[in-house]
Amino acid sequence: MNTISSDSVTSTALRRRCYLYQLGQIPYLEVWNWQRQLVEARKQNPGLPDVLLLLEHLPVYTLGQGASLEFLKFQTDSTVELHRVERGGEVTYHCPGQLVAYPILNLNFYQRDLHWYLRILEEVVIRVLALYGLPAERIPGLSGVWVEGRKLAAVGIKVSRWLTMHGIALNVDPDLTGFTQIVPCGIADRPVGSLAQFCPEVRLEVVQQQMATAFATVLGLDLLPIEGRDPTAG
C-alpha cells in the first residue's frame, strides 16, 4: 500500500482553520455554484478559512474540461443530466450512496504542487479504507484509489491561483448501474467498485465522519463544523 506519513504532510503547513459542512443529497449545479462562489471569495480575501464540503449528489454525469464525448454511451440530447465542468479528467458519474468531498483550500498555505495535492486526496481515501481493513492502493499512471483492481474513488480537481475546487468521489454504497452508461474516467478495462462490496454493513454517515477526520489528520486542519445548507451564506 502506497501511503504518505502524516508527519510528512502536516509539517508542510501551519494548522489551518477549515469550515466543515456535512450535507445531504444536493443537486450538482447548486454545489458547483457554491464552489465557484467560495473560491472567488478567497481570491478577494485570502485570509478566509478553508472549506470542506461532504455530501451526496442526485444522479448526474460530469465531463472534465477536456473530456471526450466518445466515452458516453448515451446521446448528449437525452434526458440524462450531463455537465461539462472545469475539473481535469474524463467522464464520471455521481449518485446517492457515493460520498463526495469538495475541499476549497488555499494551497499557498500548504504546497503549490498539483501532483502533491492529488496524492493527498488519494491518501485521505486510502486512510478511510484502511479503517475497514482494505488494502487500498494507487495504480501508476492512473488517478484515484483502487481495491483488488476495482476503482472505489475518483479524483478530479481544478486549481486557480492555488485555490482548489472539485475533489473526491468515494463509492460507499451506490447503485453502480449508472456507470454502465459511460466508460468511467476513460478506463475501459478496469471495473468500478464500492466499499459495500467488501463491507456490506457500511453506513455512509459513518464514512462521512471518517473522511472528515482523515482530511484533518492528513492536512493538519482544525475542522470547525458549521450548521446550515448554504456555505456561501455566512
Side-chain angles (χ1 to χ4, degrees):
M1 179 168 57
N2 187 2
T3 62
I4 300 173
S5 72
S6 59
D7 290 344
S8 68
V9 175
T10 58
S11 64
T12 65
L14 298 174
R15 288 192 73 84
R16 291 275 294 165
R17 290 190 305 150
C18 180
Y19 295 147
L20 171 64
Y21 291 84
Q22 299 186 76
L23 305 166
Q25 296 180 12
I26 303 179
Y28 187 84
L29 289 180
E30 187 172 355
V31 182
W32 187 19
N33 186 50
W34 288 348
Q35 290 185 77
R36 288 180 288 184
Q37 290 183 58
L38 290 166
V39 167
E40 185 58 34
R42 282 149 182 79
K43 287 181 178 178
Q44 300 300 319
N45 183 357
L48 289 173
D50 296 327
V51 176
L52 176 60
L53 309 176
L54 297 176
L55 53 97
E56 300 169 81
H57 281 307
L58 301 175
V60 61
Y61 294 91
T62 68
L63 295 157
Q65 58 185 349
S68 173
L69 295 178
E70 70 179 275
F71 296 125
L72 302 180
K73 299 180 182 178
F74 58 86
Q75 298 298 314
T76 57
D77 58 356
S78 72
T79 59
V80 176
E81 186 175 355
L82 172 70
H83 303 290
R84 186 177 291 276
V85 299
E86 62 274 76
R87 65 164 173 81
E90 293 291 342
V91 63
T92 195
Y93 176 61
H94 301 298
C95 65
Q98 180 191 78
L99 177 58
V100 180
Y102 293 131
I104 310 299
L105 306 179
N106 188 336
L107 294 184
N108 287 295
F109 295 98
Y110 300 93
Q111 287 194 35
R112 292 191 289 184
D113 183 329
L114 300 189
H115 294 290
W116 173 86
Y117 180 55
L118 286 168
R119 302 295 81 79
I120 288 297
L121 295 181
E122 292 167 349
E123 179 68 14
V124 167
V125 176
I126 287 170
R127 293 190 181 205
V128 171
L129 296 179
L131 298 174
Y132 295 89
L134 296 180
E137 62 181 353
R138 300 176 179 88
I139 295 179
L142 300 176
S143 66
V145 179
W146 308 74
V147 175
E148 296 183 5
R150 295 176 180 269
K151 188 169 189 176
L152 268 61
V155 177
I157 64 171
K158 167 68 177 179
V159 178
S160 174
R161 286 167 51 180
W162 298 109
L163 288 158
T164 71
M165 58 184 294
H166 300 288
I168 304 169
L170 171 61
N171 295 328
V172 178
D173 189 16
D175 179 353
L176 295 175
T177 58
F179 287 98
T180 65
Q181 298 302 305
I182 60 174
V183 179
C185 302
I187 304 171
D189 60 346
R190 295 179 183 269
V192 171
S194 71
L195 178 51
Q197 290 174 325
F198 300 92
C199 304
E201 303 303 317
V202 69
R203 294 167 51 205
L204 188 139
E205 59 268 27
V206 174
V207 179
Q208 181 171 266
Q209 188 56 54
Q210 291 166 335
M211 185 172 283
T213 299
F215 263 103
T217 300
V218 171
L219 281 163
L221 300 174
D222 286 327
L223 293 179
L224 305 174
I226 304 295
E227 298 293 333
R229 176 182 169 88
D230 184 351
T232 67

